[in-house]
Amino acid sequence: MTPTPRRAPRTAAAPSIRDVAAAAGVSYQTVSRVLNESPRVRPETRTAVLAAIESLGFRPSRTARALSLGRARGITVVTSNTVLYGYAATLQGLEEAARAEGMAMGIRVVESAEPAEVKQTVDYVGDASAGGVVVIAFDPLGIAVLEALPEHVPAVAAAEPAAPDRGRVAIALDERRAAADATQHLLDLGHRTVHHVAIPSEGGREGAVPGGRLAGWRDALRAAGAPIPELIGCGWDIRSAYAAGQRLASSPDVTAILCGNDDIAQGVRRALYDAGKDVPGDVSIVGFDDIPGSAYWTPALTTVRMDFAGLGRACFHAAVAELTGGPQPEPALTPPALVLRESTAPPPHHP
């Protein structure tokens, strides 16, 4: 797991808005009006408050300002997808945590990275009624919204571990290490190299971003001195994965495949079957995510188990801390783990 806090921790010694009020000899409501640039403050009072802020080193948080503007006690989640397993399981964790705390949760789907769509989404969650915001930033659409959010909106991101710092609290699962472990497992079985069918968000398509699964695959191959095959990209649909599998099935040199998720693995597996290739006798396959049912395929799928629900719960608690101005909790996440099943074996004719 890779939690990446984006701000300095609060300390007990940090001056508060009431400290500023006491130093300036005014009410804390007056300090709030000065911070919010209200015209209903006399110039001499504004000068006194600003002097107190400067002398105390007071720095108002965006969450405190958001609460002063009346943000709702709830959570709004921004996502580009509600069906794919990783997104859906993260949403499940968010909903479970919100329900346990008696808080409302809304969902806003962003359909494209077009500026007008991003602005409409940002305007929606920027409204006080949205409460705290969680952006599922697994793809370019979520990232575009995250980057466009105003500073005062209390928001956190469920992010790729390789995502650059965008000034927000971001929580990620260590997919890079997990993909490297999965690739190394195949190399340890004796495969000369491992081919990779990547998920669309990191598979070389327009708008794709470098992700942990792709990076971990390359890390393991480089560390082993193994050849790095051409990356195979596909869409989110199984038909596209099947086409990628057909391409790989046509090469006798392909003996091991790391798939970007379990749905891709399903399509690739079917293409190999139709081409007369046995799994794992001729070709070994590893998936990613451990979707429900992957243990009951024929053969049962070796895959990486991902704690998406735990990621959702962690993001909820982080968003509440941003909304209320409380300290950020330590994320409680189960690290990704390789689950060995029946779809991997030594390559043909391996001694």
Side-chain angles (χ1 to χ4, degrees):
M1 59 185 175
T2 312
T4 52
R6 306 302 194 192
R7 63 177 181 179
R10 298 178 176 86
T11 64
S16 70
I17 191 172
R18 293 182 184 274
D19 295 326
V20 173
V26 299
S27 68
Y28 75 89
Q29 293 95 333
T30 297
V31 176
S32 178
R33 293 189 192 101
V34 172
L35 292 173
N36 292 320
E37 301 179 357
S38 170
R40 296 188 299 133
V41 180
R42 291 182 297 177
E44 59 270 26
T45 302
R46 186 183 306 278
T47 299
V49 170
L50 292 175
I53 288 173
E54 181 66 25
S55 65
L56 292 174
F58 173 72
R59 294 294 180 267
S61 70
R62 64 172 179 266
T63 53
R65 183 171 186 274
L67 286 173
S68 75
L69 295 175
R71 291 196 74 89
R73 186 178 179 273
I75 298 294
T76 299
V77 183
V78 177
T79 181
S80 67
N81 195 291
T82 59
V83 177
L84 291 169
Y85 178 72
Y87 296 79
T90 302
L91 286 169
Q92 177 186 350
L94 281 157
E95 189 279 328
E96 289 173 349
R99 181 156 34 90
E101 293 296 323
M103 292 180 67
M105 188 188 93
I107 298 173
R108 174 74 180 193
V109 175
V110 54
E111 296 182 345
S112 80
E114 291 297 321
E117 173 72 11
V118 171
K119 182 181 184 303
Q120 189 177 51
T121 301
V122 168
D123 289 346
Y124 182 89
V125 298
D127 187 89
S129 64
V133 178
V134 176
V135 180
I136 300 181
F138 294 163
D139 52 43
L141 278 67
I143 291 170
V145 172
L146 187 67
E147 291 178 334
L149 284 176
E151 177 71 13
H152 72 269
V153 176
V156 303
E160 290 282 354
D165 189 337
R166 290 180 166 86
R168 298 284 186 178
V169 173
I171 304 175
L173 297 168
D174 193 354
E175 298 182 353
R176 185 168 187 162
R177 179 70 263 167
D181 289 345
T183 304
Q184 188 60 51
H185 166 65
L186 291 165
L187 295 173
D188 289 345
L189 288 172
H191 295 275
R192 187 179 71 91
T193 190
V194 178
H195 294 256
H196 183 39
V197 182
I199 55 177
S201 57
E202 61 179 32
R205 293 188 165 205
E206 183 179 354
V209 293
R213 304 180 189 199
L214 173 58
W217 167 68
R218 286 177 173 156
D219 289 345
L221 293 178
R222 287 195 185 105
I228 301 179
E230 177 188 358
L231 181 69
I232 306 295
C234 71
W236 291 117
D237 59 297
I238 293 182
R239 181 185 295 274
S240 178
Y242 180 85
Q246 287 179 309
R247 179 176 171 184
L248 291 169
S250 66
S251 172
D253 296 330
V254 175
T255 65
I257 305 170
L258 173 64
C259 297
N261 65 23
D262 290 350
D263 288 333
I264 290 174
Q266 186 178 20
V268 169
R269 167 71 182 93
R270 180 66 196 202
L272 292 169
Y273 174 83
D274 288 347
K277 297 289 184 76
D278 179 67
V279 176
D282 297 314
V283 182
S284 290
I285 297 178
V286 176
F288 223 101
D289 290 348
D290 193 25
I291 66 173
S294 62
Y296 301 95
W297 295 1
T298 303
L301 183 66
T302 293
T303 186
V304 174
R305 180 171 295 157
M306 298 286 287
D307 184 21
F308 286 116
L311 176 63
R313 290 189 291 269
C315 286
F316 169 82
H317 294 298
V320 170
E322 287 290 280
L323 179 65
T324 62
Q328 277 293 327
E330 185 68 23
L333 298 173
T334 301
L338 183 64
V339 182
L340 300 180
R341 297 192 180 115
E342 300 168 350
S343 66
T344 55
H349 315 300
H350 183 70

mmCIF file of all heavy atoms in Angstrom, residues 212-251:
data_model
loop_
_atom_site.group_PDB
_atom_site.id
_atom_site.type_symbol
_atom_site.label_atom_id
_atom_site.label_comp_id
_atom_site.label_asym_id
_atom_site.label_seq_id
_atom_site.Cartn_x
_atom_site.Cartn_y
_atom_site.Cartn_z
ATOM 1 N N GLY A 212 1.046 1.562 -12.405
ATOM 2 C CA GLY A 212 1.829 0.634 -11.628
ATOM 3 C C GLY A 212 1.936 -0.749 -12.231
ATOM 4 O O GLY A 212 2.974 -1.412 -12.111
ATOM 5 N N ARG A 213 0.880 -1.224 -12.891
ATOM 6 C CA ARG A 213 0.900 -2.576 -13.431
ATOM 7 C C ARG A 213 1.911 -2.680 -14.575
ATOM 8 O O ARG A 213 2.694 -3.634 -14.647
ATOM 9 C CB ARG A 213 -0.497 -2.982 -13.882
ATOM 10 C CG ARG A 213 -1.510 -2.854 -12.749
ATOM 11 C CD ARG A 213 -2.935 -3.241 -13.121
ATOM 12 N NE ARG A 213 -3.843 -2.878 -12.019
ATOM 13 C CZ ARG A 213 -5.047 -3.363 -11.846
ATOM 14 N NH1 ARG A 213 -5.549 -4.215 -12.709
ATOM 15 N NH2 ARG A 213 -5.787 -2.985 -10.806
ATOM 16 N N LEU A 214 1.893 -1.704 -15.449
ATOM 17 C CA LEU A 214 2.838 -1.660 -16.557
ATOM 18 C C LEU A 214 4.266 -1.484 -16.046
ATOM 19 O O LEU A 214 5.193 -2.183 -16.479
ATOM 20 C CB LEU A 214 2.460 -0.517 -17.497
ATOM 21 C CG LEU A 214 3.415 -0.188 -18.647
ATOM 22 C CD1 LEU A 214 3.616 -1.397 -19.538
ATOM 23 C CD2 LEU A 214 2.891 0.999 -19.447
ATOM 24 N N ALA A 215 4.452 -0.557 -15.105
ATOM 25 C CA ALA A 215 5.792 -0.291 -14.590
ATOM 26 C C ALA A 215 6.358 -1.501 -13.845
ATOM 27 O O ALA A 215 7.545 -1.827 -13.985
ATOM 28 C CB ALA A 215 5.760 0.925 -13.660
ATOM 29 N N GLY A 216 5.527 -2.194 -13.060
ATOM 30 C CA GLY A 216 6.011 -3.356 -12.318
ATOM 31 C C GLY A 216 6.428 -4.494 -13.229
ATOM 32 O O GLY A 216 7.421 -5.190 -12.964
ATOM 33 N N TRP A 217 5.658 -4.697 -14.300
ATOM 34 C CA TRP A 217 6.022 -5.713 -15.305
ATOM 35 C C TRP A 217 7.400 -5.425 -15.883
ATOM 36 O O TRP A 217 8.269 -6.306 -15.953
ATOM 37 C CB TRP A 217 4.952 -5.726 -16.391
ATOM 38 C CG TRP A 217 5.277 -6.476 -17.649
ATOM 39 C CD1 TRP A 217 5.418 -7.828 -17.793
ATOM 40 C CD2 TRP A 217 5.486 -5.907 -18.955
ATOM 41 N NE1 TRP A 217 5.697 -8.143 -19.109
ATOM 42 C CE2 TRP A 217 5.739 -6.986 -19.842
ATOM 43 C CE3 TRP A 217 5.461 -4.606 -19.453
ATOM 44 C CZ2 TRP A 217 5.984 -6.790 -21.203
ATOM 45 C CZ3 TRP A 217 5.693 -4.395 -20.803
ATOM 46 C CH2 TRP A 217 5.961 -5.480 -21.665
ATOM 47 N N ARG A 218 7.626 -4.187 -16.274
ATOM 48 C CA ARG A 218 8.924 -3.819 -16.847
ATOM 49 C C ARG A 218 10.036 -3.913 -15.807
ATOM 50 O O ARG A 218 11.156 -4.331 -16.120
ATOM 51 C CB ARG A 218 8.852 -2.403 -17.424
ATOM 52 C CG ARG A 218 8.067 -2.331 -18.727
ATOM 53 C CD ARG A 218 7.953 -0.911 -19.230
ATOM 54 N NE ARG A 218 7.351 -0.850 -20.564
ATOM 55 C CZ ARG A 218 6.723 0.199 -21.046
ATOM 56 N NH1 ARG A 218 6.589 1.296 -20.303
ATOM 57 N NH2 ARG A 218 6.211 0.176 -22.268
ATOM 58 N N ASP A 219 9.748 -3.523 -14.572
ATOM 59 C CA ASP A 219 10.757 -3.602 -13.513
ATOM 60 C C ASP A 219 11.309 -5.018 -13.376
ATOM 61 O O ASP A 219 12.526 -5.231 -13.305
ATOM 62 C CB ASP A 219 10.158 -3.179 -12.164
ATOM 63 C CG ASP A 219 9.875 -1.693 -12.063
ATOM 64 O OD1 ASP A 219 10.378 -0.923 -12.902
ATOM 65 O OD2 ASP A 219 9.139 -1.311 -11.130
ATOM 66 N N ALA A 220 10.396 -5.983 -13.315
ATOM 67 C CA ALA A 220 10.818 -7.374 -13.093
ATOM 68 C C ALA A 220 11.614 -7.910 -14.277
ATOM 69 O O ALA A 220 12.617 -8.616 -14.096
ATOM 70 C CB ALA A 220 9.596 -8.250 -12.828
ATOM 71 N N LEU A 221 11.179 -7.595 -15.483
ATOM 72 C CA LEU A 221 11.905 -8.074 -16.666
ATOM 73 C C LEU A 221 13.297 -7.454 -16.736
ATOM 74 O O LEU A 221 14.286 -8.145 -17.028
ATOM 75 C CB LEU A 221 11.114 -7.752 -17.930
ATOM 76 C CG LEU A 221 9.783 -8.496 -18.101
ATOM 77 C CD1 LEU A 221 9.089 -8.041 -19.377
ATOM 78 C CD2 LEU A 221 9.988 -10.012 -18.120
ATOM 79 N N ARG A 222 13.393 -6.171 -16.457
ATOM 80 C CA ARG A 222 14.710 -5.518 -16.485
ATOM 81 C C ARG A 222 15.633 -6.104 -15.416
ATOM 82 O O ARG A 222 16.811 -6.350 -15.673
ATOM 83 C CB ARG A 222 14.547 -4.011 -16.257
ATOM 84 C CG ARG A 222 13.960 -3.258 -17.441
ATOM 85 C CD ARG A 222 14.163 -1.755 -17.278
ATOM 86 N NE ARG A 222 13.508 -1.014 -18.345
ATOM 87 C CZ ARG A 222 12.392 -0.334 -18.211
ATOM 88 N NH1 ARG A 222 11.773 -0.309 -17.040
ATOM 89 N NH2 ARG A 222 11.870 0.333 -19.227
ATOM 90 N N ALA A 223 15.095 -6.300 -14.211
ATOM 91 C CA ALA A 223 15.914 -6.825 -13.117
ATOM 92 C C ALA A 223 16.437 -8.220 -13.431
ATOM 93 O O ALA A 223 17.540 -8.587 -13.016
ATOM 94 C CB ALA A 223 15.109 -6.841 -11.821
ATOM 95 N N ALA A 224 15.643 -8.998 -14.183
ATOM 96 C CA ALA A 224 16.041 -10.370 -14.526
ATOM 97 C C ALA A 224 16.878 -10.431 -15.799
ATOM 98 O O ALA A 224 17.365 -11.508 -16.172
ATOM 99 C CB ALA A 224 14.801 -11.235 -14.677
ATOM 100 N N GLY A 225 17.027 -9.311 -16.484
ATOM 101 C CA GLY A 225 17.731 -9.317 -17.767
ATOM 102 C C GLY A 225 16.967 -10.044 -18.848
ATOM 103 O O GLY A 225 17.556 -10.512 -19.829
ATOM 104 N N ALA A 226 15.636 -10.114 -18.686
ATOM 105 C CA ALA A 226 14.795 -10.813 -19.669
ATOM 106 C C ALA A 226 14.372 -9.851 -20.771
ATOM 107 O O ALA A 226 14.273 -8.634 -20.548
ATOM 108 C CB ALA A 226 13.561 -11.393 -18.980
ATOM 109 N N PRO A 227 14.099 -10.363 -21.970
ATOM 110 C CA PRO A 227 13.599 -9.504 -23.047
ATOM 111 C C PRO A 227 12.281 -8.844 -22.636
ATOM 112 O O PRO A 227 11.461 -9.446 -21.940
ATOM 113 C CB PRO A 227 13.385 -10.479 -24.213
ATOM 114 C CG PRO A 227 14.210 -11.677 -23.889
ATOM 115 C CD PRO A 227 14.248 -11.772 -22.400
ATOM 116 N N ILE A 228 12.077 -7.601 -23.069
ATOM 117 C CA ILE A 228 10.827 -6.894 -22.811
ATOM 118 C C ILE A 228 10.026 -6.880 -24.104
ATOM 119 O O ILE A 228 10.347 -6.137 -25.036
ATOM 120 C CB ILE A 228 11.075 -5.459 -22.317
ATOM 121 C CG1 ILE A 228 11.905 -5.487 -21.027
ATOM 122 C CG2 ILE A 228 9.747 -4.738 -22.082
ATOM 123 C CD1 ILE A 228 12.229 -4.118 -20.470
ATOM 124 N N PRO A 229 8.996 -7.706 -24.201
ATOM 125 C CA PRO A 229 8.226 -7.791 -25.458
ATOM 126 C C PRO A 229 7.445 -6.510 -25.738
ATOM 127 O O PRO A 229 7.260 -5.661 -24.861
ATOM 128 C CB PRO A 229 7.270 -8.966 -25.209
ATOM 129 C CG PRO A 229 7.822 -9.684 -24.018
ATOM 130 C CD PRO A 229 8.509 -8.648 -23.196
ATOM 131 N N GLU A 230 6.958 -6.400 -26.943
ATOM 132 C CA GLU A 230 6.088 -5.291 -27.303
ATOM 133 C C GLU A 230 4.826 -5.327 -26.443
ATOM 134 O O GLU A 230 4.225 -6.387 -26.240
ATOM 135 C CB GLU A 230 5.696 -5.391 -28.779
ATOM 136 C CG GLU A 230 4.730 -4.315 -29.236
ATOM 137 C CD GLU A 230 4.210 -4.558 -30.648
ATOM 138 O OE1 GLU A 230 4.646 -5.544 -31.277
ATOM 139 O OE2 GLU A 230 3.371 -3.768 -31.104
ATOM 140 N N LEU A 231 4.453 -4.168 -25.938
ATOM 141 C CA LEU A 231 3.246 -4.063 -25.126
ATOM 142 C C LEU A 231 2.016 -4.273 -25.991
ATOM 143 O O LEU A 231 1.921 -3.735 -27.094
ATOM 144 C CB LEU A 231 3.186 -2.692 -24.464
ATOM 145 C CG LEU A 231 1.991 -2.413 -23.556
ATOM 146 C CD1 LEU A 231 2.079 -3.266 -22.303
ATOM 147 C CD2 LEU A 231 1.949 -0.931 -23.197
ATOM 148 N N ILE A 232 1.064 -5.062 -25.489
ATOM 149 C CA ILE A 232 -0.200 -5.280 -26.193
ATOM 150 C C ILE A 232 -1.296 -4.522 -25.450
ATOM 151 O O ILE A 232 -1.546 -4.773 -24.277
ATOM 152 C CB ILE A 232 -0.563 -6.782 -26.251
ATOM 153 C CG1 ILE A 232 0.577 -7.601 -26.838
ATOM 154 C CG2 ILE A 232 -1.859 -6.975 -27.036
ATOM 155 C CD1 ILE A 232 0.889 -7.291 -28.273
ATOM 156 N N GLY A 233 -1.925 -3.570 -26.128
ATOM 157 C CA GLY A 233 -3.011 -2.824 -25.517
ATOM 158 C C GLY A 233 -4.360 -3.351 -25.957
ATOM 159 O O GLY A 233 -4.473 -4.011 -26.997
ATOM 160 N N CYS A 234 -5.393 -3.090 -25.169
ATOM 161 C CA CYS A 234 -6.752 -3.469 -25.562
ATOM 162 C C CYS A 234 -7.735 -2.563 -24.843
ATOM 163 O O CYS A 234 -7.342 -1.745 -24.003
ATOM 164 C CB CYS A 234 -7.031 -4.945 -25.258
ATOM 165 S SG CYS A 234 -7.200 -5.345 -23.515
ATOM 166 N N GLY A 235 -9.012 -2.710 -25.179
ATOM 167 C CA GLY A 235 -10.043 -1.927 -24.522
ATOM 168 C C GLY A 235 -10.508 -2.600 -23.244
ATOM 169 O O GLY A 235 -9.984 -3.639 -22.827
ATOM 170 N N TRP A 236 -11.552 -2.008 -22.626
ATOM 171 C CA TRP A 236 -12.100 -2.594 -21.412
ATOM 172 C C TRP A 236 -12.982 -3.806 -21.703
ATOM 173 O O TRP A 236 -13.258 -4.605 -20.816
ATOM 174 C CB TRP A 236 -12.927 -1.548 -20.648
ATOM 175 C CG TRP A 236 -12.134 -0.436 -20.037
ATOM 176 C CD1 TRP A 236 -12.220 0.888 -20.346
ATOM 177 C CD2 TRP A 236 -11.157 -0.530 -18.999
ATOM 178 N NE1 TRP A 236 -11.354 1.623 -19.575
ATOM 179 C CE2 TRP A 236 -10.693 0.783 -18.723
ATOM 180 C CE3 TRP A 236 -10.631 -1.587 -18.258
ATOM 181 C CZ2 TRP A 236 -9.727 1.063 -17.767
ATOM 182 C CZ3 TRP A 236 -9.653 -1.318 -17.295
ATOM 183 C CH2 TRP A 236 -9.215 -0.012 -17.047
ATOM 184 N N ASP A 237 -13.436 -3.958 -22.951
ATOM 185 C CA ASP A 237 -14.360 -5.034 -23.271
ATOM 186 C C ASP A 237 -13.616 -6.341 -23.536
ATOM 187 O O ASP A 237 -12.466 -6.347 -23.999
ATOM 188 C CB ASP A 237 -15.189 -4.668 -24.497
ATOM 189 C CG ASP A 237 -14.304 -4.394 -25.709
ATOM 190 O OD1 ASP A 237 -13.504 -3.433 -25.660
ATOM 191 O OD2 ASP A 237 -14.393 -5.148 -26.692
ATOM 192 N N ILE A 238 -14.283 -7.450 -23.266
ATOM 193 C CA ILE A 238 -13.651 -8.769 -23.413
ATOM 194 C C ILE A 238 -13.385 -9.080 -24.889
ATOM 195 O O ILE A 238 -12.418 -9.773 -25.217
ATOM 196 C CB ILE A 238 -14.530 -9.849 -22.748
ATOM 197 C CG1 ILE A 238 -14.553 -9.625 -21.224
ATOM 198 C CG2 ILE A 238 -13.999 -11.238 -23.066
ATOM 199 C CD1 ILE A 238 -15.341 -10.652 -20.460
ATOM 200 N N ARG A 239 -14.212 -8.578 -25.796
ATOM 201 C CA ARG A 239 -13.975 -8.812 -27.221
ATOM 202 C C ARG A 239 -12.588 -8.279 -27.617
ATOM 203 O O ARG A 239 -11.858 -8.916 -28.376
ATOM 204 C CB ARG A 239 -15.057 -8.144 -28.055
ATOM 205 C CG ARG A 239 -14.891 -8.369 -29.570
ATOM 206 C CD ARG A 239 -15.927 -7.573 -30.340
ATOM 207 N NE ARG A 239 -17.271 -8.041 -30.062
ATOM 208 C CZ ARG A 239 -17.859 -9.043 -30.711
ATOM 209 N NH1 ARG A 239 -17.221 -9.682 -31.673
ATOM 210 N NH2 ARG A 239 -19.090 -9.396 -30.404
ATOM 211 N N SER A 240 -12.233 -7.093 -27.101
ATOM 212 C CA SER A 240 -10.927 -6.517 -27.391
ATOM 213 C C SER A 240 -9.809 -7.377 -26.788
ATOM 214 O O SER A 240 -8.765 -7.574 -27.407
ATOM 215 C CB SER A 240 -10.851 -5.086 -26.834
ATOM 216 O OG SER A 240 -9.583 -4.524 -27.054
ATOM 217 N N ALA A 241 -10.039 -7.900 -25.586
ATOM 218 C CA ALA A 241 -9.056 -8.785 -24.962
ATOM 219 C C ALA A 241 -8.904 -10.080 -25.757
ATOM 220 O O ALA A 241 -7.804 -10.634 -25.884
ATOM 221 C CB ALA A 241 -9.474 -9.088 -23.529
ATOM 222 N N TYR A 242 -10.012 -10.564 -26.289
ATOM 223 C CA TYR A 242 -9.972 -11.773 -27.124
ATOM 224 C C TYR A 242 -9.100 -11.541 -28.354
ATOM 225 O O TYR A 242 -8.284 -12.391 -28.729
ATOM 226 C CB TYR A 242 -11.395 -12.165 -27.536
ATOM 227 C CG TYR A 242 -11.483 -13.405 -28.403
ATOM 228 C CD1 TYR A 242 -11.524 -14.662 -27.816
ATOM 229 C CD2 TYR A 242 -11.531 -13.309 -29.792
ATOM 230 C CE1 TYR A 242 -11.602 -15.806 -28.607
ATOM 231 C CE2 TYR A 242 -11.609 -14.439 -30.584
ATOM 232 C CZ TYR A 242 -11.648 -15.693 -29.986
ATOM 233 O OH TYR A 242 -11.715 -16.818 -30.770
ATOM 234 N N ALA A 243 -9.234 -10.361 -28.975
ATOM 235 C CA ALA A 243 -8.417 -10.043 -30.144
ATOM 236 C C ALA A 243 -6.939 -9.987 -29.770
ATOM 237 O O ALA A 243 -6.072 -10.459 -30.529
ATOM 238 C CB ALA A 243 -8.858 -8.718 -30.746
ATOM 239 N N ALA A 244 -6.633 -9.433 -28.603
ATOM 240 C CA ALA A 244 -5.244 -9.415 -28.138
ATOM 241 C C ALA A 244 -4.737 -10.835 -27.912
ATOM 242 O O ALA A 244 -3.587 -11.164 -28.239
ATOM 243 C CB ALA A 244 -5.134 -8.595 -26.856
ATOM 244 N N GLY A 245 -5.609 -11.691 -27.363
ATOM 245 C CA GLY A 245 -5.239 -13.084 -27.154
ATOM 246 C C GLY A 245 -4.977 -13.821 -28.457
ATOM 247 O O GLY A 245 -4.056 -14.646 -28.552
ATOM 248 N N GLN A 246 -5.773 -13.538 -29.481
ATOM 249 C CA GLN A 246 -5.541 -14.147 -30.797
ATOM 250 C C GLN A 246 -4.164 -13.778 -31.339
ATOM 251 O O GLN A 246 -3.460 -14.613 -31.912
ATOM 252 C CB GLN A 246 -6.622 -13.696 -31.777
ATOM 253 C CG GLN A 246 -7.989 -14.312 -31.555
ATOM 254 C CD GLN A 246 -9.004 -13.802 -32.553
ATOM 255 O OE1 GLN A 246 -9.148 -12.592 -32.741
ATOM 256 N NE2 GLN A 246 -9.718 -14.717 -33.214
ATOM 257 N N ARG A 247 -3.800 -12.525 -31.169
ATOM 258 C CA ARG A 247 -2.493 -12.065 -31.639
ATOM 259 C C ARG A 247 -1.375 -12.815 -30.929
ATOM 260 O O ARG A 247 -0.403 -13.253 -31.558
ATOM 261 C CB ARG A 247 -2.381 -10.556 -31.391
ATOM 262 C CG ARG A 247 -1.064 -9.936 -31.795
ATOM 263 C CD ARG A 247 -1.126 -8.436 -31.583
ATOM 264 N NE ARG A 247 0.178 -7.818 -31.744
ATOM 265 C CZ ARG A 247 0.420 -6.525 -31.541
ATOM 266 N NH1 ARG A 247 -0.579 -5.725 -31.191
ATOM 267 N NH2 ARG A 247 1.638 -6.035 -31.705
ATOM 268 N N LEU A 248 -1.508 -12.997 -29.631
ATOM 269 C CA LEU A 248 -0.473 -13.700 -28.879
ATOM 270 C C LEU A 248 -0.483 -15.196 -29.176
ATOM 271 O O LEU A 248 0.570 -15.841 -29.211
ATOM 272 C CB LEU A 248 -0.675 -13.453 -27.379
ATOM 273 C CG LEU A 248 -0.391 -12.020 -26.908
ATOM 274 C CD1 LEU A 248 -0.866 -11.827 -25.477
ATOM 275 C CD2 LEU A 248 1.102 -11.699 -27.020
ATOM 276 N N ALA A 249 -1.668 -15.750 -29.390
ATOM 277 C CA ALA A 249 -1.767 -17.195 -29.657
ATOM 278 C C ALA A 249 -1.097 -17.582 -30.965
ATOM 279 O O ALA A 249 -0.688 -18.741 -31.141
ATOM 280 C CB ALA A 249 -3.241 -17.606 -29.680
ATOM 281 N N SER A 250 -0.944 -16.622 -31.877
ATOM 282 C CA SER A 250 -0.347 -16.933 -33.177
ATOM 283 C C SER A 250 1.167 -17.073 -33.118
ATOM 284 O O SER A 250 1.794 -17.524 -34.075
ATOM 285 C CB SER A 250 -0.704 -15.831 -34.186
ATOM 286 O OG SER A 250 -0.101 -14.596 -33.818
ATOM 287 N N SER A 251 1.758 -16.698 -31.980
ATOM 288 C CA SER A 251 3.216 -16.779 -31.846
ATOM 289 C C SER A 251 3.612 -17.970 -30.977
ATOM 290 O O SER A 251 3.199 -18.048 -29.813
ATOM 291 C CB SER A 251 3.768 -15.494 -31.230
ATOM 292 O OG SER A 251 5.154 -15.644 -30.943
#
